[in-house]
Amino acid sequence: MNEKIYQKLHQEHQSAFNAIQKRFNLFSIIRLIVFLLSAVLFYYYYNSANTFHLLAAVVIFIAFLALIVYHKKISFKRDFTNALVEINSDELLFLNNKAWNFDEGKEFIDVQHNYSYDLDFFGQRSLYQYLNRCYTAIGKKTLADYLLQLFIPSKIKKHQEAIKELAFDLSWRQDFTALSKITGDSSENLKRLTHWAKSPSDKIPKALYLFSFVSVAAFIIAAILYFTAIIEVPLNIIVWLFIINLVVLGRVFKQIKKELFSSEKIQDILKAYSKIIANIEVKKFTSSYLNELQKDLSSGTSKASDSIASLSSIYAQLENIQNPVGAFIFNGTFLYHLHVYQSLCKWKEQNASNLIQWLEIMGHFEALLSLANFSYNNPTYAFPELNEEQYISFNDLGHPLIKSTSRINNDIVFDKEKFLIVTGSNMSGKSTFLRSLGINMVLAGTGSVVCASKAKIHPLPVLVSMRLSDNLHENESYFFAEVKRLKKIMTQAEERVSFLLLDEILRGTNSDDKRTGTIEVIKKIIKKDALGAIATHDLKVCDISKDHEVLTNKCFEVETIDNELVFDYKLREGVCKNKNATFLMKKMEII
């Protein structure tokens, strides 16, 4: 159903883009013709001194300037519509598993994090790339932050409410995403802007600023008197006043260059931010959290979008100083860039403390839109019911990154039996099941839907040990790295009730030591009142469940049919009975 909607929208936006592109090309030609016509008339006036030629040239040149403004509007509309085409094209490719044209969040990979590295949250074909529909740097960072933390239950419920509202407002979601997509934003832009907002500007000395008014006024009066001949003013006085103005500018020139260096080309990004935020400001929301975010965009009498647009305009004016001819004339006469710089300092003094908050709000919206898109693309997924009884259950639990046509779902409950010992042969599905549990627990903690038809969740911190390696740089073996990880998990589980996932721990030691260590780890876990699961190949470890009612054994089985291994990936009660390692090595003629 969603695929048909994306296909329809793609066709509609493509048709609109083609029409806009034709108009864009037409006005490009008209603009060129008008400019040439104006130039020709100015040339005729230069040769003939005919006033009519001058008047016509000026009128046509004004029309040329108006065409530039209109052409910019068409250019923006063209880029915006093309972004909508690409958004729907990307969703179609994504749904058909042909391409994931979304940022994969490599910069957020952290091998020390409690679960994100073990569960492959970032990188190519990761959960982040699957969810991500953010194009601003702050949106990408906010979405990553959502996945790397656990919100309190009240915040989770607010997120759920917001995501439900946004999920089915497809038109507004895509307009927002299109505006984000054409920003051309980057993490460097965000870093520079954040640094700028937090650092004080070098203000113009008050005496120098007051003198600038005097020197400009003196130049203007002298020029008027010179050209009107009301009072005879020597030309050299005007020249000296012009030079004095340039000297005054020279006192703040380094400060202006410093601002431009630390915020290169930032005015275009700010202008795009302004449009995105304006889109939020005019929207009517029903969920409390979205209304809270929207309300925080107001700053006194001005809107956040207007304030950011004003900052963009100030930077655009300030950048003109890099035009040597224009800077020479305008600053010698009016000290133009000194007053623009003063406007920048004033803006910063009034709004810098709000700017970061405004950007964070924009990031929250973009992250929530990604989760709303995830919900929209998966209408069978459920929003978990929250509880405070340490009760966790999933009906039809699955891994969201596995295609629904090949995914095998399972039911699982954590109640009186809080911890699972999962056994099964190689490739039977143990690790995938643990990953499914971990990913869906984290998704539930963000307020997102989960890959299940129904879920009841007590939000808990997720702690995982599944994916470790030797650290040659620190001369650290795999075994020692794993022991350190287990120590970290145990310490955190001591602080509060947690959800633990352990996959075949203590691989770097002998069988007897491994079994003893695994059993002792499980005993310590259940003493900490933790929930979760451990996967193991050692069937004797399962015997511990006889002595602890909070433990239960689950398994995945494999069958040999027509000399082929057949996996059904269904979770069963008890301890696994079948093995496949020897069979597989014989089949591949290893032994």
Side-chain angles (χ1 to χ4, degrees):
M1 182 63 182
N2 290 349
E3 189 174 346
K4 290 181 180 179
I5 293 173
Y6 288 134
Q7 186 66 52
K8 180 174 177 288
L9 288 171
H10 180 267
Q11 292 171 354
E12 289 175 357
H13 293 311
Q14 185 65 61
S15 298
F17 173 78
N18 293 339
I20 294 169
Q21 183 66 49
K22 288 179 182 178
R23 202 187 327 163
F24 178 86
N25 293 337
L26 175 63
F27 276 91
S28 295
I29 295 170
I30 293 173
R31 189 178 67 169
L32 177 61
I33 292 171
V34 169
F35 174 77
L36 293 174
L37 182 58
S38 174
V40 169
L41 287 169
F42 274 118
Y43 175 77
Y44 275 123
Y45 170 73
Y46 177 78
N47 287 319
S48 64
N50 188 318
T51 307
F52 172 78
H53 289 153
L54 176 62
L55 185 62
V58 170
V59 170
I60 292 174
F61 186 74
I62 291 172
F64 168 72
L65 296 177
L67 282 171
I68 289 177
V69 174
Y70 183 69
H71 198 258
K72 283 184 177 180
K73 290 182 179 179
I74 297 176
S75 178
F76 168 76
K77 195 170 183 180
R78 181 192 64 166
D79 294 344
F80 176 77
T81 307
N82 186 54
L84 289 170
V85 172
E86 292 177 352
I87 286 167
N88 286 281
S89 174
D90 287 344
E91 290 296 344
L92 287 168
L93 291 170
F94 173 77
L95 290 179
N96 289 295
N97 206 33
K98 292 181 179 178
W100 293 14
N101 297 326
F102 314 111
D103 189 90
E104 56 195 57
K106 279 185 177 180
E107 65 270 32
F108 306 116
I109 294 175
D110 178 7
V111 297
Q112 300 301 323
H113 190 263
N114 287 336
Y115 54 78
S116 66
Y117 183 69
D118 296 72
L119 298 177
D120 299 312
F121 268 34
F122 304 103
Q124 193 171 15
R125 293 272 167 165
S126 62
L127 177 67
Y128 181 87
Q129 190 178 28
Y130 187 92
L131 298 172
N132 181 33
R133 298 300 183 273
C134 303
Y135 291 95
T136 67
I138 189 67
K140 293 173 184 177
K141 182 181 181 301
T142 305
L143 179 60
D145 288 343
Y146 279 15
L147 295 174
L148 295 174
Q149 62 181 303
L150 173 66
F151 292 110
I152 60 175
S154 60
K155 189 68 172 287
I156 294 172
K157 289 177 181 177
K158 284 185 176 182
H159 276 201
Q160 287 183 346
E161 184 186 1
I163 292 166
K164 286 176 185 177
E165 178 179 351
L166 294 171
F168 293 98
D169 198 346
L170 181 60
S171 177
W172 189 80
R173 280 198 291 110
Q174 291 203 344
D175 284 352
F176 187 106
T177 304
L179 289 171
S180 302
K181 190 175 176 65
I182 61 179
T183 60
D185 199 6
S186 69
S187 58
E188 283 303 311
N189 287 327
L190 180 62
K191 287 177 184 177
R192 285 201 299 265
L193 193 56
T194 303
H195 176 74
W196 175 83
K198 290 181 178 180
S199 59
S201 289
D202 296 328
K203 293 182 180 180
I204 300 172
K206 193 171 183 178
L208 183 66
Y209 185 61
L210 291 173
F211 180 77
S212 70
F213 285 97
V214 175
S215 62
V216 168
F219 175 83
I220 293 172
I221 291 169
I224 291 172
L225 293 175
Y226 176 81
F227 285 106
T228 59
I230 296 174
I231 298 175
E232 187 175 343
V233 176
L235 181 62
N236 63 340
I237 290 179
I238 297 174
V239 172
W240 275 110
L241 287 171
F242 188 91
I243 293 171
I244 287 171
N245 284 343
L246 292 178
V247 171
V248 171
L249 178 73
R251 291 290 304 276
V252 296
F253 185 75
K254 285 185 178 180
Q255 294 163 240
I256 294 173
K257 292 296 286 183
K258 180 182 176 183
E259 286 288 349
L260 292 175
F261 177 77
S262 62
S263 54
E264 185 181 0
K265 299 296 182 184
I266 200 68
Q267 79 273 8
D268 292 333
I269 303 295
L270 288 168
K271 192 173 182 180
Y273 285 169
S274 173
K275 291 181 183 296
I276 294 169
I277 290 174
N279 204 35
I280 298 170
E281 290 170 337
V282 299
K283 178 70 174 171
K284 290 185 178 180
F285 300 107
T286 58
S287 76
S288 60
Y289 185 56
L290 296 179
N291 278 303
E292 286 172 19
L293 291 173
Q294 186 184 53
K295 186 178 179 181
D296 287 340
L297 287 173
S298 60
S299 173
T301 57
S302 62
K303 294 180 179 178
S305 59
D306 292 338
S307 296
I308 294 174
S310 175
L311 180 60
S312 172
S313 177
I314 291 170
Y315 265 115
Q317 294 172 64
L318 201 62
E319 280 210 342
N320 292 334
I321 200 171
Q322 297 182 94
N323 180 338
V325 176
F328 180 77
I329 295 171
F330 280 96
N331 289 301
T333 55
F334 306 115
L335 278 172
Y336 175 76
H337 286 103
L338 180 143
H339 292 287
V340 172
Y341 180 73
Q342 177 66 13
S343 297
L344 180 64
C345 293
K346 187 178 179 181
W347 190 100
K348 190 172 187 178
E349 186 177 355
Q350 293 175 345
N351 299 295
S353 59
N354 295 320
L355 179 60
I356 295 174
Q357 180 186 353
W358 294 337
L359 296 183
E360 287 174 349
I361 290 170
M362 185 176 72
H364 282 302
F365 266 94
E366 201 168 11
L368 289 169
L369 288 177
S370 288
L371 296 179
N373 189 78
F374 175 57
S375 175
Y376 180 79
N377 281 347
N378 299 280
T380 60
Y381 289 6
F383 282 97
E385 298 176 25
L386 304 187
N387 66 78
E388 298 179 359
E389 288 75 43
Q390 295 185 19
Y391 178 87
I392 295 173
S393 69
F394 291 98
N395 290 11
D396 302 309
L397 173 75
H399 196 300
L401 271 62
I402 299 175
K403 290 174 64 176
S404 59
T405 52
S406 55
R407 183 173 63 229
I408 304 299
N409 299 326
N410 288 286
D411 296 345
I412 189 65
V413 176
F414 296 87
D415 189 10
K416 291 180 181 179
E417 296 174 335
K418 292 186 174 184
F419 207 81
L420 314 180
I421 301 174
V422 184
T423 54
S425 59
N426 295 302
M427 304 182 297
S428 62
K430 301 188 304 299
S431 295
T432 300
F433 175 69
L434 264 59
R435 291 176 185 276
S436 300
L437 281 171
I439 283 177
N440 284 289
M441 283 294 292
V442 172
L443 286 173
T446 68
S448 170
V449 294
V450 296
C451 183
S453 61
K454 187 177 180 181
K456 294 182 180 180
I457 299 293
H458 178 190
L460 295 172
V462 176
L463 308 174
V464 182
S465 178
M466 295 184 70
R467 186 180 173 201
L468 296 164
S469 61
D470 294 353
N471 191 332
L472 299 179
H473 177 69
E474 296 183 6
N475 194 27
E476 187 176 271
S477 69
Y478 177 95
F479 178 72
F480 189 62
E482 187 174 23
V483 169
K484 281 175 63 178
R485 184 56 174 263
L486 288 172
K487 170 63 177 175
K488 180 183 177 183
I489 289 174
M490 292 302 180
T491 301
Q492 290 180 282
E494 189 77 48
E495 295 170 358
R496 60 178 296 191
V497 177
S498 303
F499 192 85
L500 277 58
L501 296 170
L502 310 175
D503 189 14
E504 201 64 38
I505 62 171
L506 306 177
R507 300 178 208 183
T509 186
N510 64 68
S511 299
D512 290 338
D513 205 17
K514 176 182 173 183
R515 178 184 303 137
T516 302
T518 301
I519 291 171
E520 291 305 315
V521 165
I522 294 173
K523 286 180 179 179
K524 195 164 185 179
I525 286 172
I526 60 179
K527 283 181 182 178
K528 296 178 185 293
D529 207 26
L531 288 75
I534 182 170
T536 180
H537 285 290
D538 193 331
L539 305 186
K540 289 187 179 180
V541 171
C542 301
D543 293 340
I544 189 178
S545 63
K546 298 173 184 177
D547 303 320
H548 302 276
E549 62 178 10
V550 296
L551 294 175
T552 184
N553 293 314
K554 302 283 185 179
C555 68
F556 291 92
E557 291 289 9
V558 59
E559 292 184 84
T560 305
I561 302 175
D562 296 331
N563 204 34
E564 293 290 339
L565 293 174
V566 177
F567 301 95
D568 62 10
Y569 305 110
K570 295 301 294 183
L571 188 66
R572 294 176 168 84
E573 297 288 340
V575 182
C576 77
K577 300 178 177 61
N578 300 323
K579 301 176 183 179
N580 67 359
T582 304
F583 172 87
L584 191 60
M585 286 191 288
K586 285 181 179 179
K587 185 174 178 61
M588 297 181 69
E589 299 181 351
I590 296 173
I591 58 175

